[in-house]
Amino acid sequence: MTQFTYELDEIDKAVQAILAVASEEKVWVFQGDMGAGKTTLIKALSRAFSITDQVSSPTFGIVNHYENPSGTIFYHFDFYRMDDPTEALDIGIEEYFYSGNYCWLEWAEKIAAFLPENFLLVRIQNDSDTKRTLNLQHVENAN
């Protein structure tokens, strides 16, 4: 596990830390309390990948689709409002996960049974109004 602490105005350094640890992993699970900065971090990551689309939390639509100028596809999920985990199967979640495209997941604990075997876990700890700590870990899920 890798740990990285940053001030909010240094979020681009946090992004570089994630990119260094992520390697070839395409499914990234963002965990943290409400307001910890999951979507803010994903917005910063989207800038690093040159995504020009408007990046926002897909709370009501569950998934947003982004693409950068080189044609790389990114899927951004927010499962916060999902009451029944099997709803994820209805939207074809497994096809997204195994598409080879980037999948960024918020509130993935709501669909824990359907997570792929391997993913990057990005835990965000809210240390203060301006400071966060990331715990970055490659996970091999035992589903």
Side-chain angles (χ1 to χ4, degrees):
M1 181 167 44
T2 301
Q3 191 172 73
F4 183 83
T5 299
Y6 65 100
E7 296 288 330
L8 292 181
D9 62 358
E10 301 175 318
I11 198 164
D12 291 333
K13 290 180 184 177
V15 165
Q16 293 308 312
I18 293 169
L19 294 175
V21 171
S23 188
E24 299 296 315
E25 194 65 64
K26 297 289 181 137
V27 178
W28 302 359
V29 172
F30 294 81
Q31 236 178 33
D33 292 336
M34 182 74 73
K38 295 178 292 294
T39 303
T40 301
L41 189 55
I42 289 172
K43 286 180 182 181
L45 280 162
S46 71
R47 288 191 302 272
F49 280 104
S50 302
I51 295 171
T52 56
D53 297 320
Q54 177 70 29
V55 175
S56 61
S57 180
T59 301
F60 294 100
I62 298 179
V63 62
N64 286 345
H65 171 245
Y66 313 122
E67 196 168 324
N68 69 10
S70 66
T72 305
I73 295 173
F74 302 80
Y75 298 112
H76 178 192
F77 299 87
D78 185 332
F79 298 106
Y80 181 73
R81 296 197 185 281
M82 187 169 284
D83 294 323
D84 179 0
T86 60
E87 291 176 44
L89 296 176
D90 294 340
I91 66 163
I93 195 73
E94 292 172 328
E95 291 177 34
Y96 287 106
F97 291 164
Y98 298 104
S99 68
N101 298 309
Y102 284 93
C103 294
W104 296 335
L105 289 67
E106 297 184 52
W107 300 101
E109 54 271 25
K110 296 258 191 165
I111 61 151
F114 305 117
L115 290 175
E117 285 187 15
N118 301 308
F119 58 88
L120 177 69
L121 178 59
V122 180
R123 281 196 184 117
I124 307 169
Q125 180 180 317
N126 190 345
D127 298 329
S128 72
D129 288 345
T130 62
K131 189 169 152 184
R132 303 290 187 269
T133 297
L134 297 179
N135 289 297
L136 309 172
Q137 178 182 3
H138 286 277
V139 173
E140 291 187 20
N141 204 348
N143 279 347

